[in-house]
Amino acid sequence: MKNFNYSGIALAVVTALLSGSSLAADSSDVGEINVKGQSLGGGLMVQEDSSKARSTLTKEAMDKAPGASNAIDMLKYTPGMNVNSNDASGLSGIDYTMRGMNADQIGLSMDGIPINDSGNYAVYPNLLGDADNLEQIFVTQGSSEADGPHIGSSGGNIGLVTKRPSKEFGGFVKQTLGSNSLSKTFARLETGEYNGFSNWLSYSHTEAKKWRGEGRNYSNKFEMNSLYEDGNGNSSNLIVKYNKQDNTNYNTLSKAQFDEDPTQDYSTSPVYNSRGQLSKYYKLDRNPFENFSLSFSQRLQLRDNLALTVQPYYYWGNGGSFTGQTASVLSGTSDQAGQYDLSNLTSNTYYRPSWTQTWRPGVTTKLKWDINDEHSLDIGYWYERARQSQTQPFISIQDDGNPANVSGKPGGSDQVKDANGNTVQGRNQYTVTPAQKVWLQDTWFVSPEWTVVGGLAYQYVERIGDNKGSLYNAPEKRKATYHEFLPNFSLSYKPNLENQLFYNLTRNMRTPPNYVLYNVGDSINTAPELSWNHELGWRFQRDDMLLSATVFYMRYSDRQISTTNADGDYEMMNIGSVESKGLELEWSGKLPYNFNYYTSYTYTHSEQKDDIVSNGGNPLPTSGKTVPNVPKNMLNMSLGYDNGLYYGSFGGKYVSAFYGDLTNDEKISGRTIFDVAAGVHLPVDKKIVKSATLRFGIDNLFDKEYLTSVRSTTFNAAPYNGVRASTPYYNVGEERTFSVSLEATF
């Protein structure tokens, strides 16, 4: 383990395990359907028994969510989570925080495979698949799982679990219409079971206009799930998902811009800067992307008390976005830029997307050994070798203002070449990220009341960067290595069937993003973000009421905050030590006359412990200040009704104020948003149509205008001792929207 790099023995073992195997999803905390009892609060809460904070969203709750929401949208009432989307199409940008952590610090897995971007750990809606095909979504609010296949999670995990194929032949169709010309058509065909095999295939098409500014969003998704079970505990499961989209981006706004006009977006006519270069135009702010993922899980029941799971997977993504950049080649008057001779160019304005292509194979191997009635041992090994090609080509613009080719895929005929025939690139980087993790965890059932879990993982990550040269950088190769031992410990006490007390302690590591290898403002020696997560919780669970309370304390070193610069490219701030502490409450239950309720409350105090130094070398007074983009209080309440024929719910979410900069000079006020959902199960003959439901929803019922979250964090929004002020930019909350859907099961 001294080097733990391309271990021939480890790879040989994995290869041997793969040969002759037949595959299936195993029970793990990153991909298990783990509903222990009935759900309450319209499916927003279920009985849990894990010895850590965890919340689960059921299929019932997802079905009742209005519009074309994606999986993350549906977590907006979950304790600890502050979820915001650019619109209700489920296709546009999405951001969320958890216990003071941003989305790129939280692990996201689908059926046990990693979903976060392998370079910067961002989460994009196109990666999430169709929410109609999910069975469950769960959140562990502060713990990165011992078996979690993540290198960018410093605390917390979100797991998406795909629906299993039905054993009966049938189908499901759904049509959704809504505000801003929203239309989503979804269909799924179930083949039923034959000789142990069962399958489903689905297709969806979604499109919508932007609610502010000009432009439309489109998406087509194809998905399939094939399952084989032999009845002896052995199973094989193949899940394939493909998405292709063509989106138009939303512009972020400063606080001053929002106060002037909260509906403004990219200009509908070209805007040029003082040098005559195109700087803003909606036809250029595009986001085409396609991605494909495949996982093949095999479970082998070797003995009654011994099970092996092997899960190879593969992800491919290809696309890019033009957001915030100036559509130009030269910033000055010289014909020479980097390694390029631009004397042959007749224009200084071009379509300039940041294009990324990702190839991401990996494999997870787990062995579960129930040694005796007291001990259960989990042993595992995860390996992944992600590769990313990140370029920034320049493409000519047609007379109508559209790019000659929206795709920025390398080698395109419309890409600008210099006088020597070289394709001009604003960036041209190729990064390889081999990542490995091995873990051992023991679950000790001390008595019927007491359970102890202890484990240790070792993670080893490399970043191997090849900067091939661009307008701004000479060719250069760089490399960084990060590794850490990550222990975990938890204790659970159940004095009776209704009560549970637990304590959980985990060590988490977040490897710095890949762009620290190349950015001038970031250091290759940037340390990984490390955190200790403590949780102390209590659950009270009855058939008619569920109550959960958790206090937490998280201590970070080398806390990383991702932001974007003026060109729309990611940059990283290291703000030193941070402490986050707080309380999470979740409560749901039944009321008389078919009513139900759900409420959750989160208090988070996330404090910077160090004064930091700005890019100019001057100190800034950040010690004792709140971490940007972290609301201190969040309260969710929902009252529902469901008599088996009709259902309805009225819910509200309060999010308190937050800051946009590290020195807390710009504060964004809090907001309260209300939503309504209702539906009726239609009468059917049961011969062909088994069930049919009409659903209706209104988001942001009272049309509140608000800023949701920080998109571009800054050091200081006011000047300090020679440090100039810089402007934070924010995402904007959507206006009131309506949706209606009709669905049927055959």
Side-chain angles (χ1 to χ4, degrees):
M1 195 172 292
K2 183 177 180 180
N3 191 15
F4 206 63
N5 181 23
Y6 298 114
S7 167
I9 296 176
L11 293 177
V13 169
V14 172
T15 302
L17 292 174
L18 280 173
S19 61
S21 299
S22 69
L23 245 239
D26 186 38
S27 62
S28 75
D29 212 14
V30 293
E32 178 188 13
I33 298 178
N34 193 30
V35 178
K36 297 299 183 183
Q38 71 178 92
S39 62
L40 294 177
L44 294 171
M45 188 176 183
V46 304
Q47 293 183 12
E48 305 278 5
D49 66 355
S50 61
S51 53
K52 56 189 153 190
R54 173 173 165 136
S55 299
T56 301
L57 192 71
T58 67
K59 182 66 173 173
E60 176 189 359
M62 288 188 279
D63 287 343
K64 292 177 179 178
S69 301
N70 61 50
I72 302 299
D73 290 331
M74 297 178 180
L75 295 174
K76 63 182 179 182
Y77 290 148
T78 302
M81 298 285 296
N82 180 25
V83 177
N84 303 285
S85 289
N86 286 342
D87 63 26
S89 70
L91 306 179
S92 295
I94 187 171
D95 66 273
Y96 50 94
T97 63
M98 178 198 294
R99 292 188 180 178
M101 297 174 289
N102 291 323
D104 58 5
Q105 295 172 286
I106 303 163
L108 177 64
S109 57
M110 179 177 291
D111 305 304
I113 72 171
I115 298 298
N116 303 73
D117 184 271
S118 63
N120 61 22
Y121 314 127
V123 173
Y124 306 104
N126 56 286
L127 303 177
L128 303 174
D130 260 315
D132 300 274
N133 286 328
L134 296 179
E135 185 70 29
Q136 179 195 110
I137 308 170
F138 64 83
V139 177
T140 52
Q141 279 88 346
S143 302
S144 295
E145 315 303 341
D147 59 349
H150 303 295
I151 63 172
S153 175
S154 53
N157 182 71
I158 299 173
L160 313 181
V161 182
T162 298
K163 173 191 177 300
R164 292 167 65 91
S166 172
K167 294 184 181 299
E168 297 182 1
F169 177 83
F172 175 79
V173 293
K174 182 178 181 180
Q175 177 64 52
T176 300
L177 301 173
S179 301
N180 304 305
S181 301
L182 170 65
S183 175
K184 178 176 180 179
T185 303
F186 176 87
R188 182 175 60 240
L189 173 66
E190 301 271 5
T191 65
E193 184 183 21
Y194 180 75
N195 289 339
F197 286 94
S198 54
N199 315 269
W200 59 251
L201 302 94
S202 75
Y203 165 77
S204 74
H205 173 77
T206 308
E207 61 180 83
K209 291 182 179 179
K210 292 171 58 180
W211 71 272
R212 60 185 178 97
E214 292 293 329
R216 296 182 66 93
N217 298 328
Y218 302 88
S219 175
N220 289 289
K221 294 182 174 69
F222 298 87
E223 301 183 9
M224 65 166 286
N225 189 351
S226 295
L227 175 66
Y228 171 74
E229 296 174 300
D230 70 355
N232 297 314
N234 303 308
S235 58
S236 304
N237 193 200
L238 173 67
I239 299 176
V240 178
K241 302 193 176 190
Y242 172 79
N243 171 81
K244 186 172 184 178
Q245 70 178 40
D246 185 2
N247 287 358
T248 305
N249 293 314
Y250 286 93
N251 193 14
T252 55
L253 301 180
S254 68
K255 187 175 184 295
Q257 290 172 328
F258 176 81
D259 292 339
E260 177 186 356
D261 179 7
T263 64
Q264 64 180 290
D265 197 63
Y266 292 110
S267 173
T268 56
S269 58
V271 176
Y272 296 86
N273 62 20
S274 59
R275 295 188 296 272
Q277 300 166 332
L278 184 61
S279 59
K280 292 182 180 180
Y281 189 33
Y282 84 94
K283 290 185 178 181
L284 300 183
D285 287 277
R286 308 284 288 275
N287 181 207
F289 206 94
E290 60 180 326
N291 57 279
F292 167 87
S293 66
L294 177 151
S295 67
F296 185 48
S297 302
Q298 175 172 312
R299 187 179 191 277
L300 297 173
Q301 192 68 43
L302 304 178
R303 296 174 57 183
D304 289 343
N305 65 340
L306 189 64
L308 173 69
T309 302
V310 182
Q311 184 182 30
Y313 62 86
Y314 180 76
Y315 168 83
W316 172 81
N318 183 36
S321 180
F322 181 106
T323 304
Q325 293 112 334
T326 299
S328 62
V329 174
L330 289 175
S331 58
T333 58
S334 173
D335 286 335
Q336 192 67 37
Q339 59 182 342
Y340 301 112
D341 178 359
L342 306 179
S343 60
N344 64 314
L345 302 189
T346 59
S347 173
N348 64 1
T349 297
Y350 297 92
Y351 170 59
R352 175 187 165 189
S354 290
W355 202 260
T356 299
Q357 190 163 190
T358 302
W359 305 265
R360 192 176 184 180
V363 62
T364 300
T365 304
K366 303 178 187 180
L367 187 68
K368 184 174 182 60
W369 181 19
D370 297 325
I371 301 174
N372 50 40
D373 292 339
E374 294 183 355
H375 289 275
S376 180
L377 201 64
D378 291 277
I379 306 169
Y381 171 70
W382 168 64
Y383 175 77
E384 179 182 273
R385 189 173 185 270
R387 295 172 293 146
Q388 278 195 326
S389 173
Q390 297 174 292
T391 58
Q392 194 177 61
F394 293 80
I395 298 171
S396 58
I397 299 173
Q398 300 175 146
D399 292 339
D400 62 0
N402 284 302
N405 186 352
V406 174
S407 170
K409 185 176 181 180
S413 60
D414 296 298
Q415 295 180 11
V416 172
K417 299 184 183 299
D418 74 351
N420 298 316
N422 300 311
T423 300
V424 179
Q425 298 283 3
R427 68 171 178 175
N428 193 4
Q429 301 156 0
Y430 181 78
T431 309
V432 181
T433 307
Q436 304 184 65
K437 187 178 187 180
V438 62
W439 65 90
L440 174 67
Q441 183 168 281
D442 179 42
T443 302
W444 179 20
F445 303 99
V446 182
S447 69
E449 296 83 18
W450 291 92
T451 303
V452 178
V453 178
L456 180 65
Y458 178 74
Q459 188 161 294
Y460 185 95
V461 183
E462 292 178 278
R463 294 286 198 190
I464 305 169
D466 182 6
N467 189 345
K468 299 181 179 181
S470 67
L471 284 169
Y472 317 110
N473 305 107
E476 182 183 14
K477 296 181 183 295
R478 309 192 81 175
K479 180 179 179 180
T481 301
Y482 312 92
H483 53 89
E484 192 76 22
F485 284 98
L486 305 172
N488 69 84
F489 171 81
S490 64
L491 180 67
S492 172
Y493 173 60
K494 294 183 178 181
N496 51 50
L497 293 177
E498 293 184 340
N499 290 277
Q500 179 190 11
L501 296 170
F502 65 85
Y503 170 73
N504 179 41
L505 171 66
T506 55
R507 178 70 158 169
N508 308 309
M509 180 182 82
R510 181 181 191 263
T511 301
N514 65 344
Y515 51 77
V516 303
L517 292 173
Y518 311 107
N519 288 0
V520 175
D522 297 332
S523 170
I524 189 173
N525 297 315
T526 298
E529 178 178 286
L530 298 173
S531 66
W532 283 103
N533 171 59
H534 301 259
E535 297 176 332
L536 182 63
W538 168 62
R539 294 188 181 104
F540 180 76
Q541 303 184 134
R542 298 190 322 207
D543 288 342
D544 62 346
M545 188 184 78
L546 302 174
L547 176 63
S548 174
T550 305
V551 292
F552 63 88
Y553 173 80
M554 302 182 75
R555 174 82 184 196
Y556 298 88
S557 60
D558 295 295
R559 171 66 187 271
Q560 302 164 13
I561 292 184
S562 294
T563 184
T564 54
N565 60 23
D567 287 335
D569 294 325
Y570 283 96
E571 289 185 348
M572 193 272 286
M573 300 176 176
N574 187 330
I575 65 173
S577 298
V578 169
E579 285 186 358
S580 292
K581 52 190 173 183
L583 168 69
E584 293 165 351
L585 300 174
E586 193 173 18
W587 183 27
S588 69
K590 297 178 181 179
L591 293 170
Y593 306 106
N594 300 311
F595 284 94
N596 60 76
Y597 63 90
Y598 173 85
T599 184
S600 66
Y601 169 73
T602 303
Y603 170 80
T604 306
H605 180 67
S606 191
E607 181 180 318
Q608 304 171 69
K609 308 304 291 185
D610 301 319
D611 287 331
I612 64 171
V613 177
S614 71
N615 285 333
N618 296 322
L620 289 170
T622 55
S623 178
K625 301 296 178 67
T626 298
V627 174
N629 204 33
V630 181
K632 185 166 288 188
N633 294 283
M634 294 187 292
L635 175 65
N636 306 304
M637 299 186 72
S638 176
L639 178 64
Y641 174 84
D642 193 339
N643 68 355
L645 177 61
Y646 299 98
Y647 76 85
S649 66
F650 177 74
K653 182 179 182 71
Y654 166 73
V655 178
S656 66
F658 58 91
Y659 294 99
D661 61 333
L662 296 174
T663 53
N664 291 179
D665 290 306
E666 185 163 284
K667 188 175 185 179
I668 302 301
S669 60
R671 78 271 184 175
T672 303
I673 307 299
F674 294 94
D675 303 321
V676 173
V680 56
H681 300 287
L682 304 175
V684 294
D685 59 10
K686 301 289 186 179
K687 294 180 181 179
I688 299 177
V689 180
K690 298 176 183 177
S691 66
T693 305
L694 181 66
R695 306 185 190 275
F696 176 75
I698 306 175
D699 288 333
N700 193 2
L701 178 63
F702 299 110
D703 206 16
K704 176 75 173 179
E705 295 179 344
Y706 62 101
L707 293 172
T708 64
S709 56
V710 187
R711 169 62 176 172
S712 300
T713 304
T714 64
F715 285 101
N716 52 300
Y720 282 94
N721 301 323
V723 182
R724 292 184 300 175
S726 51
T727 303
Y729 284 84
Y730 306 90
N731 297 307
V732 182
E734 188 179 18
E735 63 184 1
R736 176 174 54 229
T737 58
F738 303 83
S739 65
V740 61
S741 63
L742 178 63
E743 63 185 53
T745 302
F746 299 92

